[in-house]
Amino acid sequence: MSEGSKGSSLAFGQVVIGPPGSGKTTYCHGMQEFMGRIGRKVTVVNLDPANEAMPYQCAVDIAELITLPDVMENLKLGPNGGLIYCMEYLEANFDWLQEKLAAFRGHYYLFDCPGQVELYTHHNALKNVFAQLAKWNFRLAAVHLVDSHYCTDPGKFISVLCTSLSTMLHVELPHVNVLSKMDLIEQYGKLAFNLDYYTEVLDLSYLVDHLASDPFFRNYRRLNEKLVEVIEDYSLVSFVPLNIQDKESMRQVMQAVDKANGYSFGDEEHRSLEALMSAAVGADFHFTSTLAVQERYVQSQDKAVDEEVMDL
């Protein structure tokens, strides 16, 4: 993994980012187990200096280099300033990270990142770390987790869309936005629209109209309209729903990320994935892509039209 060595093999992985409480560590644990069951060698790298209780098997831990409590105590910094210092310290010690990662060549990497939003919207330390990994032939996709409960509040959902867009533009990696904790969404309250409205980020003018019914937001309609225009002009933000307890949901997220970072799995992993999914939904299940299903549907529709024409 020497810098600039064109002959070195590619390494694939995910940088798991998102605000505090969005489920990044739980996601890393679940994805490590899911990928392990289909035969993928997974290495989890903890880049969160405040992460103390890790449920997953951690191969590389930033705590060996620096910890947030030590920084806060010795430099008299608060949590936010301490996290920024830790990321800048990591950026200044690339040699340590390179040496640790070199021990896991041929593995698939999950990078569990801190939860401070500023690190992904305008501060450059983590962005520079990701850029350095790219120089070491890492092909990474950013998995941006957002708690699904924000869907129940139109105002918060617009804020989430703005944050997601800002993160995508700043981090400069292939990006997969994920609505996490979908198994809990019914506990948060009733959605104003169907779920696909939020995952596909459909016509947001309906959301602005819905906000206008609230006396508090009525005075900010013009502001919300402009924010929505920015989001729609870029046309970049959409979400993949995730229930960490559901194998089918995990498969969909994994495939979206594999497509984003260019990872291509082999026949052995493909068969393992088929077996795993068959156990989840029944023995008659056969893994097919959404595209293949759509193609068969279109073909059947065309055939039906042709038969009607022949009858005429």
Side-chain angles (χ1 to χ4, degrees), residues 43-54 56-68 87 90 96-97 100-101 104 110-112:
T43 292
V44 182
V45 181
N46 176 44
L47 294 184
D48 185 357
N51 200 352
E52 297 178 348
M54 293 170 286
Y56 50 72
Q57 297 177 0
C58 183
V60 180
D61 189 354
I62 193 176
E64 299 176 17
L65 178 69
I66 191 170
T67 65
L68 180 60
M87 294 302 100
L90 174 63
W96 174 86
L97 183 61
K100 291 292 184 179
L101 296 177
F104 301 96
L110 297 174
F111 293 88
D112 188 2

PDB file of all heavy atoms in Angstrom, residues 43-54 56-68 87 90 96-97 100-101 104 110-112:
ATOM      1  N   THR A  43     -12.525  -6.126   7.782  1.00  0.00           N
ATOM      2  CA  THR A  43     -11.741  -5.491   8.842  1.00  0.00           C
ATOM      3  C   THR A  43     -12.425  -4.196   9.242  1.00  0.00           C
ATOM      4  O   THR A  43     -12.699  -3.346   8.389  1.00  0.00           O
ATOM      5  CB  THR A  43     -10.311  -5.182   8.359  1.00  0.00           C
ATOM      6  OG1 THR A  43      -9.604  -6.400   8.142  1.00  0.00           O
ATOM      7  CG2 THR A  43      -9.561  -4.349   9.376  1.00  0.00           C
ATOM      8  N   VAL A  44     -12.740  -4.053  10.524  1.00  0.00           N
ATOM      9  CA  VAL A  44     -13.369  -2.820  11.015  1.00  0.00           C
ATOM     10  C   VAL A  44     -12.295  -1.933  11.631  1.00  0.00           C
ATOM     11  O   VAL A  44     -11.497  -2.379  12.465  1.00  0.00           O
ATOM     12  CB  VAL A  44     -14.464  -3.118  12.050  1.00  0.00           C
ATOM     13  CG1 VAL A  44     -15.129  -1.813  12.490  1.00  0.00           C
ATOM     14  CG2 VAL A  44     -15.508  -4.055  11.468  1.00  0.00           C
ATOM     15  N   VAL A  45     -12.281  -0.685  11.194  1.00  0.00           N
ATOM     16  CA  VAL A  45     -11.312   0.299  11.664  1.00  0.00           C
ATOM     17  C   VAL A  45     -12.066   1.375  12.428  1.00  0.00           C
ATOM     18  O   VAL A  45     -12.917   2.076  11.856  1.00  0.00           O
ATOM     19  CB  VAL A  45     -10.541   0.929  10.485  1.00  0.00           C
ATOM     20  CG1 VAL A  45      -9.521   1.946  10.991  1.00  0.00           C
ATOM     21  CG2 VAL A  45      -9.861  -0.150   9.649  1.00  0.00           C
ATOM     22  N   ASN A  46     -11.803   1.509  13.714  1.00  0.00           N
ATOM     23  CA  ASN A  46     -12.459   2.535  14.519  1.00  0.00           C
ATOM     24  C   ASN A  46     -11.669   3.836  14.444  1.00  0.00           C
ATOM     25  O   ASN A  46     -10.545   3.914  14.934  1.00  0.00           O
ATOM     26  CB  ASN A  46     -12.574   2.087  15.978  1.00  0.00           C
ATOM     27  CG  ASN A  46     -13.158   3.182  16.855  1.00  0.00           C
ATOM     28  OD1 ASN A  46     -14.131   3.831  16.482  1.00  0.00           O
ATOM     29  ND2 ASN A  46     -12.549   3.414  18.009  1.00  0.00           N
ATOM     30  N   LEU A  47     -12.262   4.852  13.826  1.00  0.00           N
ATOM     31  CA  LEU A  47     -11.624   6.170  13.742  1.00  0.00           C
ATOM     32  C   LEU A  47     -12.287   7.173  14.675  1.00  0.00           C
ATOM     33  O   LEU A  47     -12.027   8.367  14.576  1.00  0.00           O
ATOM     34  CB  LEU A  47     -11.680   6.693  12.298  1.00  0.00           C
ATOM     35  CG  LEU A  47     -10.883   5.917  11.252  1.00  0.00           C
ATOM     36  CD1 LEU A  47     -10.970   6.615   9.895  1.00  0.00           C
ATOM     37  CD2 LEU A  47      -9.428   5.749  11.666  1.00  0.00           C
ATOM     38  N   ASP A  48     -13.139   6.697  15.576  1.00  0.00           N
ATOM     39  CA  ASP A  48     -13.821   7.569  16.528  1.00  0.00           C
ATOM     40  C   ASP A  48     -13.093   7.521  17.872  1.00  0.00           C
ATOM     41  O   ASP A  48     -13.178   6.523  18.598  1.00  0.00           O
ATOM     42  CB  ASP A  48     -15.272   7.127  16.694  1.00  0.00           C
ATOM     43  CG  ASP A  48     -16.071   8.069  17.592  1.00  0.00           C
ATOM     44  OD1 ASP A  48     -15.477   9.034  18.131  1.00  0.00           O
ATOM     45  OD2 ASP A  48     -17.289   7.851  17.751  1.00  0.00           O
ATOM     46  N   PRO A  49     -12.358   8.565  18.230  1.00  0.00           N
ATOM     47  CA  PRO A  49     -11.580   8.550  19.485  1.00  0.00           C
ATOM     48  C   PRO A  49     -12.459   8.588  20.734  1.00  0.00           C
ATOM     49  O   PRO A  49     -11.942   8.430  21.845  1.00  0.00           O
ATOM     50  CB  PRO A  49     -10.720   9.811  19.383  1.00  0.00           C
ATOM     51  CG  PRO A  49     -11.484  10.711  18.476  1.00  0.00           C
ATOM     52  CD  PRO A  49     -12.192   9.827  17.497  1.00  0.00           C
ATOM     53  N   ALA A  50     -13.762   8.791  20.569  1.00  0.00           N
ATOM     54  CA  ALA A  50     -14.674   8.790  21.709  1.00  0.00           C
ATOM     55  C   ALA A  50     -15.412   7.468  21.839  1.00  0.00           C
ATOM     56  O   ALA A  50     -16.216   7.291  22.757  1.00  0.00           O
ATOM     57  CB  ALA A  50     -15.682   9.930  21.567  1.00  0.00           C
ATOM     58  N   ASN A  51     -15.162   6.538  20.943  1.00  0.00           N
ATOM     59  CA  ASN A  51     -15.868   5.256  20.922  1.00  0.00           C
ATOM     60  C   ASN A  51     -15.170   4.278  21.869  1.00  0.00           C
ATOM     61  O   ASN A  51     -14.073   3.793  21.581  1.00  0.00           O
ATOM     62  CB  ASN A  51     -15.888   4.698  19.491  1.00  0.00           C
ATOM     63  CG  ASN A  51     -16.980   3.675  19.292  1.00  0.00           C
ATOM     64  OD1 ASN A  51     -17.634   3.260  20.244  1.00  0.00           O
ATOM     65  ND2 ASN A  51     -17.168   3.246  18.062  1.00  0.00           N
ATOM     66  N   GLU A  52     -15.820   3.975  22.985  1.00  0.00           N
ATOM     67  CA  GLU A  52     -15.201   3.117  23.995  1.00  0.00           C
ATOM     68  C   GLU A  52     -15.795   1.715  24.021  1.00  0.00           C
ATOM     69  O   GLU A  52     -15.078   0.734  24.174  1.00  0.00           O
ATOM     70  CB  GLU A  52     -15.334   3.766  25.380  1.00  0.00           C
ATOM     71  CG  GLU A  52     -14.612   5.107  25.491  1.00  0.00           C
ATOM     72  CD  GLU A  52     -14.800   5.752  26.851  1.00  0.00           C
ATOM     73  OE1 GLU A  52     -15.677   5.271  27.612  1.00  0.00           O
ATOM     74  OE2 GLU A  52     -14.088   6.737  27.157  1.00  0.00           O
ATOM     75  N   ALA A  53     -17.096   1.595  23.858  1.00  0.00           N
ATOM     76  CA  ALA A  53     -17.758   0.287  23.896  1.00  0.00           C
ATOM     77  C   ALA A  53     -18.092  -0.141  22.471  1.00  0.00           C
ATOM     78  O   ALA A  53     -19.107   0.273  21.910  1.00  0.00           O
ATOM     79  CB  ALA A  53     -19.015   0.348  24.755  1.00  0.00           C
ATOM     80  N   MET A  54     -17.233  -0.956  21.886  1.00  0.00           N
ATOM     81  CA  MET A  54     -17.416  -1.379  20.499  1.00  0.00           C
ATOM     82  C   MET A  54     -17.911  -2.824  20.463  1.00  0.00           C
ATOM     83  O   MET A  54     -17.209  -3.721  20.933  1.00  0.00           O
ATOM     84  CB  MET A  54     -16.109  -1.241  19.722  1.00  0.00           C
ATOM     85  CG  MET A  54     -15.662   0.195  19.529  1.00  0.00           C
ATOM     86  SD  MET A  54     -13.994   0.340  18.876  1.00  0.00           S
ATOM     87  CE  MET A  54     -13.007  -0.106  20.320  1.00  0.00           C
ATOM     88  N   TYR A  56     -18.342  -4.701  17.824  1.00  0.00           N
ATOM     89  CA  TYR A  56     -17.719  -5.462  16.736  1.00  0.00           C
ATOM     90  C   TYR A  56     -16.275  -5.833  17.061  1.00  0.00           C
ATOM     91  O   TYR A  56     -15.682  -5.322  18.020  1.00  0.00           O
ATOM     92  CB  TYR A  56     -17.778  -4.671  15.426  1.00  0.00           C
ATOM     93  CG  TYR A  56     -17.275  -3.239  15.530  1.00  0.00           C
ATOM     94  CD1 TYR A  56     -15.921  -2.942  15.689  1.00  0.00           C
ATOM     95  CD2 TYR A  56     -18.163  -2.170  15.450  1.00  0.00           C
ATOM     96  CE1 TYR A  56     -15.472  -1.640  15.765  1.00  0.00           C
ATOM     97  CE2 TYR A  56     -17.725  -0.857  15.525  1.00  0.00           C
ATOM     98  CZ  TYR A  56     -16.368  -0.598  15.684  1.00  0.00           C
ATOM     99  OH  TYR A  56     -15.928   0.703  15.766  1.00  0.00           O
ATOM    100  N   GLN A  57     -15.717  -6.716  16.234  1.00  0.00           N
ATOM    101  CA  GLN A  57     -14.306  -7.075  16.349  1.00  0.00           C
ATOM    102  C   GLN A  57     -13.482  -5.984  15.684  1.00  0.00           C
ATOM    103  O   GLN A  57     -13.479  -5.849  14.466  1.00  0.00           O
ATOM    104  CB  GLN A  57     -14.041  -8.434  15.694  1.00  0.00           C
ATOM    105  CG  GLN A  57     -14.759  -9.597  16.346  1.00  0.00           C
ATOM    106  CD  GLN A  57     -14.510 -10.902  15.622  1.00  0.00           C
ATOM    107  OE1 GLN A  57     -13.803 -10.967  14.625  1.00  0.00           O
ATOM    108  NE2 GLN A  57     -15.101 -11.972  16.128  1.00  0.00           N
ATOM    109  N   CYS A  58     -12.792  -5.216  16.489  1.00  0.00           N
ATOM    110  CA  CYS A  58     -12.055  -4.053  15.987  1.00  0.00           C
ATOM    111  C   CYS A  58     -10.603  -4.443  15.715  1.00  0.00           C
ATOM    112  O   CYS A  58      -9.869  -4.845  16.621  1.00  0.00           O
ATOM    113  CB  CYS A  58     -12.115  -2.920  17.003  1.00  0.00           C
ATOM    114  SG  CYS A  58     -11.310  -1.408  16.460  1.00  0.00           S
ATOM    115  N   ALA A  59     -10.196  -4.324  14.447  1.00  0.00           N
ATOM    116  CA  ALA A  59      -8.830  -4.698  14.070  1.00  0.00           C
ATOM    117  C   ALA A  59      -7.858  -3.535  14.236  1.00  0.00           C
ATOM    118  O   ALA A  59      -6.697  -3.728  14.605  1.00  0.00           O
ATOM    119  CB  ALA A  59      -8.812  -5.199  12.622  1.00  0.00           C
ATOM    120  N   VAL A  60      -8.316  -2.330  13.944  1.00  0.00           N
ATOM    121  CA  VAL A  60      -7.486  -1.127  14.078  1.00  0.00           C
ATOM    122  C   VAL A  60      -8.285  -0.102  14.867  1.00  0.00           C
ATOM    123  O   VAL A  60      -9.429   0.207  14.516  1.00  0.00           O
ATOM    124  CB  VAL A  60      -7.104  -0.550  12.694  1.00  0.00           C
ATOM    125  CG1 VAL A  60      -6.239   0.700  12.861  1.00  0.00           C
ATOM    126  CG2 VAL A  60      -6.387  -1.584  11.847  1.00  0.00           C
ATOM    127  N   ASP A  61      -7.677   0.416  15.927  1.00  0.00           N
ATOM    128  CA  ASP A  61      -8.393   1.331  16.821  1.00  0.00           C
ATOM    129  C   ASP A  61      -7.569   2.599  17.004  1.00  0.00           C
ATOM    130  O   ASP A  61      -6.403   2.552  17.413  1.00  0.00           O
ATOM    131  CB  ASP A  61      -8.625   0.660  18.179  1.00  0.00           C
ATOM    132  CG  ASP A  61      -9.560   1.456  19.084  1.00  0.00           C
ATOM    133  OD1 ASP A  61      -9.938   2.584  18.700  1.00  0.00           O
ATOM    134  OD2 ASP A  61      -9.904   0.951  20.164  1.00  0.00           O
ATOM    135  N   ILE A  62      -8.182   3.751  16.708  1.00  0.00           N
ATOM    136  CA  ILE A  62      -7.482   5.022  16.847  1.00  0.00           C
ATOM    137  C   ILE A  62      -7.088   5.290  18.293  1.00  0.00           C
ATOM    138  O   ILE A  62      -6.191   6.097  18.564  1.00  0.00           O
ATOM    139  CB  ILE A  62      -8.354   6.178  16.303  1.00  0.00           C
ATOM    140  CG1 ILE A  62      -7.516   7.452  16.156  1.00  0.00           C
ATOM    141  CG2 ILE A  62      -9.557   6.413  17.208  1.00  0.00           C
ATOM    142  CD1 ILE A  62      -8.273   8.614  15.533  1.00  0.00           C
ATOM    143  N   ALA A  63      -7.725   4.578  19.243  1.00  0.00           N
ATOM    144  CA  ALA A  63      -7.389   4.757  20.661  1.00  0.00           C
ATOM    145  C   ALA A  63      -5.944   4.392  20.952  1.00  0.00           C
ATOM    146  O   ALA A  63      -5.364   4.852  21.940  1.00  0.00           O
ATOM    147  CB  ALA A  63      -8.321   3.915  21.533  1.00  0.00           C
ATOM    148  N   GLU A  64      -5.340   3.570  20.079  1.00  0.00           N
ATOM    149  CA  GLU A  64      -3.921   3.250  20.234  1.00  0.00           C
ATOM    150  C   GLU A  64      -3.047   4.455  19.912  1.00  0.00           C
ATOM    151  O   GLU A  64      -1.887   4.513  20.327  1.00  0.00           O
ATOM    152  CB  GLU A  64      -3.535   2.085  19.324  1.00  0.00           C
ATOM    153  CG  GLU A  64      -4.291   0.792  19.622  1.00  0.00           C
ATOM    154  CD  GLU A  64      -3.938  -0.305  18.641  1.00  0.00           C
ATOM    155  OE1 GLU A  64      -2.898  -0.167  17.961  1.00  0.00           O
ATOM    156  OE2 GLU A  64      -4.699  -1.281  18.528  1.00  0.00           O
ATOM    157  N   LEU A  65      -3.609   5.391  19.163  1.00  0.00           N
ATOM    158  CA  LEU A  65      -2.865   6.595  18.780  1.00  0.00           C
ATOM    159  C   LEU A  65      -3.232   7.780  19.656  1.00  0.00           C
ATOM    160  O   LEU A  65      -2.356   8.498  20.154  1.00  0.00           O
ATOM    161  CB  LEU A  65      -3.147   6.921  17.309  1.00  0.00           C
ATOM    162  CG  LEU A  65      -2.488   8.180  16.741  1.00  0.00           C
ATOM    163  CD1 LEU A  65      -0.972   7.986  16.621  1.00  0.00           C
ATOM    164  CD2 LEU A  65      -3.080   8.518  15.362  1.00  0.00           C
ATOM    165  N   ILE A  66      -4.548   7.982  19.854  1.00  0.00           N
ATOM    166  CA  ILE A  66      -5.026   9.135  20.609  1.00  0.00           C
ATOM    167  C   ILE A  66      -6.458   8.877  21.051  1.00  0.00           C
ATOM    168  O   ILE A  66      -7.204   8.166  20.371  1.00  0.00           O
ATOM    169  CB  ILE A  66      -4.958  10.422  19.747  1.00  0.00           C
ATOM    170  CG1 ILE A  66      -5.183  11.671  20.597  1.00  0.00           C
ATOM    171  CG2 ILE A  66      -5.934  10.354  18.576  1.00  0.00           C
ATOM    172  CD1 ILE A  66      -4.892  12.969  19.842  1.00  0.00           C
ATOM    173  N   THR A  67      -6.838   9.437  22.217  1.00  0.00           N
ATOM    174  CA  THR A  67      -8.213   9.294  22.701  1.00  0.00           C
ATOM    175  C   THR A  67      -8.772  10.670  23.042  1.00  0.00           C
ATOM    176  O   THR A  67      -8.028  11.590  23.428  1.00  0.00           O
ATOM    177  CB  THR A  67      -8.303   8.402  23.954  1.00  0.00           C
ATOM    178  OG1 THR A  67      -7.608   9.042  25.041  1.00  0.00           O
ATOM    179  CG2 THR A  67      -7.711   7.024  23.683  1.00  0.00           C
ATOM    180  N   LEU A  68     -10.065  10.816  22.923  1.00  0.00           N
ATOM    181  CA  LEU A  68     -10.710  12.094  23.209  1.00  0.00           C
ATOM    182  C   LEU A  68     -10.594  12.492  24.684  1.00  0.00           C
ATOM    183  O   LEU A  68     -10.293  13.662  24.976  1.00  0.00           O
ATOM    184  CB  LEU A  68     -12.179  12.037  22.781  1.00  0.00           C
ATOM    185  CG  LEU A  68     -12.993  13.303  23.009  1.00  0.00           C
ATOM    186  CD1 LEU A  68     -12.412  14.487  22.236  1.00  0.00           C
ATOM    187  CD2 LEU A  68     -14.464  13.093  22.621  1.00  0.00           C
ATOM    188  N   MET A  87      -8.745  14.387  14.956  1.00  0.00           N
ATOM    189  CA  MET A  87      -8.712  14.130  13.510  1.00  0.00           C
ATOM    190  C   MET A  87      -7.504  14.787  12.854  1.00  0.00           C
ATOM    191  O   MET A  87      -6.891  14.232  11.941  1.00  0.00           O
ATOM    192  CB  MET A  87     -10.004  14.622  12.861  1.00  0.00           C
ATOM    193  CG  MET A  87     -11.252  13.846  13.283  1.00  0.00           C
ATOM    194  SD  MET A  87     -11.149  12.055  12.925  1.00  0.00           S
ATOM    195  CE  MET A  87     -10.714  11.392  14.547  1.00  0.00           C
ATOM    196  N   LEU A  90      -4.591  12.595  13.668  1.00  0.00           N
ATOM    197  CA  LEU A  90      -4.576  11.425  12.785  1.00  0.00           C
ATOM    198  C   LEU A  90      -4.032  11.805  11.411  1.00  0.00           C
ATOM    199  O   LEU A  90      -3.237  11.056  10.817  1.00  0.00           O
ATOM    200  CB  LEU A  90      -5.996  10.866  12.648  1.00  0.00           C
ATOM    201  CG  LEU A  90      -6.191   9.713  11.651  1.00  0.00           C
ATOM    202  CD1 LEU A  90      -5.393   8.485  12.075  1.00  0.00           C
ATOM    203  CD2 LEU A  90      -7.679   9.354  11.520  1.00  0.00           C
ATOM    204  N   TRP A  96       1.278   5.881  10.886  1.00  0.00           N
ATOM    205  CA  TRP A  96       0.687   4.937  11.835  1.00  0.00           C
ATOM    206  C   TRP A  96      -0.482   4.196  11.207  1.00  0.00           C
ATOM    207  O   TRP A  96      -0.587   2.972  11.299  1.00  0.00           O
ATOM    208  CB  TRP A  96       0.218   5.692  13.083  1.00  0.00           C
ATOM    209  CG  TRP A  96      -0.539   4.829  14.059  1.00  0.00           C
ATOM    210  CD1 TRP A  96      -0.009   4.037  15.045  1.00  0.00           C
ATOM    211  CD2 TRP A  96      -1.966   4.642  14.119  1.00  0.00           C
ATOM    212  NE1 TRP A  96      -1.018   3.377  15.720  1.00  0.00           N
ATOM    213  CE2 TRP A  96      -2.224   3.726  15.171  1.00  0.00           C
ATOM    214  CE3 TRP A  96      -3.039   5.159  13.403  1.00  0.00           C
ATOM    215  CZ2 TRP A  96      -3.512   3.328  15.511  1.00  0.00           C
ATOM    216  CZ3 TRP A  96      -4.319   4.759  13.730  1.00  0.00           C
ATOM    217  CH2 TRP A  96      -4.548   3.856  14.768  1.00  0.00           C
ATOM    218  N   LEU A  97      -1.365   4.951  10.542  1.00  0.00           N
ATOM    219  CA  LEU A  97      -2.536   4.341   9.921  1.00  0.00           C
ATOM    220  C   LEU A  97      -2.131   3.396   8.797  1.00  0.00           C
ATOM    221  O   LEU A  97      -2.670   2.281   8.677  1.00  0.00           O
ATOM    222  CB  LEU A  97      -3.460   5.434   9.385  1.00  0.00           C
ATOM    223  CG  LEU A  97      -4.786   4.968   8.756  1.00  0.00           C
ATOM    224  CD1 LEU A  97      -5.628   4.217   9.778  1.00  0.00           C
ATOM    225  CD2 LEU A  97      -5.558   6.156   8.190  1.00  0.00           C
ATOM    226  N   LYS A 100      -0.817   0.102  10.201  1.00  0.00           N
ATOM    227  CA  LYS A 100      -1.874  -0.738  10.766  1.00  0.00           C
ATOM    228  C   LYS A 100      -2.703  -1.404   9.676  1.00  0.00           C
ATOM    229  O   LYS A 100      -3.030  -2.596   9.760  1.00  0.00           O
ATOM    230  CB  LYS A 100      -2.782   0.103  11.670  1.00  0.00           C
ATOM    231  CG  LYS A 100      -2.125   0.577  12.962  1.00  0.00           C
ATOM    232  CD  LYS A 100      -1.836  -0.593  13.893  1.00  0.00           C
ATOM    233  CE  LYS A 100      -1.269  -0.128  15.216  1.00  0.00           C
ATOM    234  NZ  LYS A 100      -1.002  -1.271  16.141  1.00  0.00           N
ATOM    235  N   LEU A 101      -3.037  -0.656   8.637  1.00  0.00           N
ATOM    236  CA  LEU A 101      -3.878  -1.193   7.571  1.00  0.00           C
ATOM    237  C   LEU A 101      -3.136  -2.226   6.724  1.00  0.00           C
ATOM    238  O   LEU A 101      -3.758  -3.135   6.159  1.00  0.00           O
ATOM    239  CB  LEU A 101      -4.386  -0.060   6.673  1.00  0.00           C
ATOM    240  CG  LEU A 101      -5.316   0.956   7.335  1.00  0.00           C
ATOM    241  CD1 LEU A 101      -5.676   2.058   6.348  1.00  0.00           C
ATOM    242  CD2 LEU A 101      -6.577   0.290   7.862  1.00  0.00           C
ATOM    243  N   PHE A 104      -3.682  -6.027   6.920  1.00  0.00           N
ATOM    244  CA  PHE A 104      -4.964  -6.643   6.527  1.00  0.00           C
ATOM    245  C   PHE A 104      -5.200  -6.528   5.019  1.00  0.00           C
ATOM    246  O   PHE A 104      -6.299  -6.270   4.569  1.00  0.00           O
ATOM    247  CB  PHE A 104      -6.116  -5.984   7.300  1.00  0.00           C
ATOM    248  CG  PHE A 104      -5.975  -6.105   8.787  1.00  0.00           C
ATOM    249  CD1 PHE A 104      -5.412  -5.077   9.538  1.00  0.00           C
ATOM    250  CD2 PHE A 104      -6.377  -7.260   9.448  1.00  0.00           C
ATOM    251  CE1 PHE A 104      -5.265  -5.188  10.907  1.00  0.00           C
ATOM    252  CE2 PHE A 104      -6.229  -7.384  10.817  1.00  0.00           C
ATOM    253  CZ  PHE A 104      -5.676  -6.343  11.557  1.00  0.00           C
ATOM    254  N   LEU A 110     -14.280  -1.489   6.863  1.00  0.00           N
ATOM    255  CA  LEU A 110     -15.354  -0.640   7.377  1.00  0.00           C
ATOM    256  C   LEU A 110     -14.726   0.373   8.333  1.00  0.00           C
ATOM    257  O   LEU A 110     -14.162  -0.009   9.364  1.00  0.00           O
ATOM    258  CB  LEU A 110     -16.408  -1.466   8.120  1.00  0.00           C
ATOM    259  CG  LEU A 110     -17.194  -2.502   7.313  1.00  0.00           C
ATOM    260  CD1 LEU A 110     -18.078  -3.328   8.241  1.00  0.00           C
ATOM    261  CD2 LEU A 110     -18.045  -1.828   6.245  1.00  0.00           C
ATOM    262  N   PHE A 111     -14.799   1.646   7.990  1.00  0.00           N
ATOM    263  CA  PHE A 111     -14.232   2.701   8.831  1.00  0.00           C
ATOM    264  C   PHE A 111     -15.360   3.347   9.637  1.00  0.00           C
ATOM    265  O   PHE A 111     -16.236   4.015   9.084  1.00  0.00           O
ATOM    266  CB  PHE A 111     -13.528   3.752   7.974  1.00  0.00           C
ATOM    267  CG  PHE A 111     -12.295   3.258   7.268  1.00  0.00           C
ATOM    268  CD1 PHE A 111     -12.384   2.669   6.010  1.00  0.00           C
ATOM    269  CD2 PHE A 111     -11.045   3.369   7.864  1.00  0.00           C
ATOM    270  CE1 PHE A 111     -11.251   2.214   5.353  1.00  0.00           C
ATOM    271  CE2 PHE A 111      -9.904   2.916   7.213  1.00  0.00           C
ATOM    272  CZ  PHE A 111     -10.003   2.335   5.955  1.00  0.00           C
ATOM    273  N   ASP A 112     -15.341   3.127  10.947  1.00  0.00           N
ATOM    274  CA  ASP A 112     -16.330   3.697  11.858  1.00  0.00           C
ATOM    275  C   ASP A 112     -15.852   5.082  12.266  1.00  0.00           C
ATOM    276  O   ASP A 112     -14.865   5.222  12.997  1.00  0.00           O
ATOM    277  CB  ASP A 112     -16.484   2.779  13.081  1.00  0.00           C
ATOM    278  CG  ASP A 112     -17.642   3.198  13.980  1.00  0.00           C
ATOM    279  OD1 ASP A 112     -18.338   4.167  13.643  1.00  0.00           O
ATOM    280  OD2 ASP A 112     -17.850   2.534  15.025  1.00  0.00           O
TER     281      ASP A 112
END
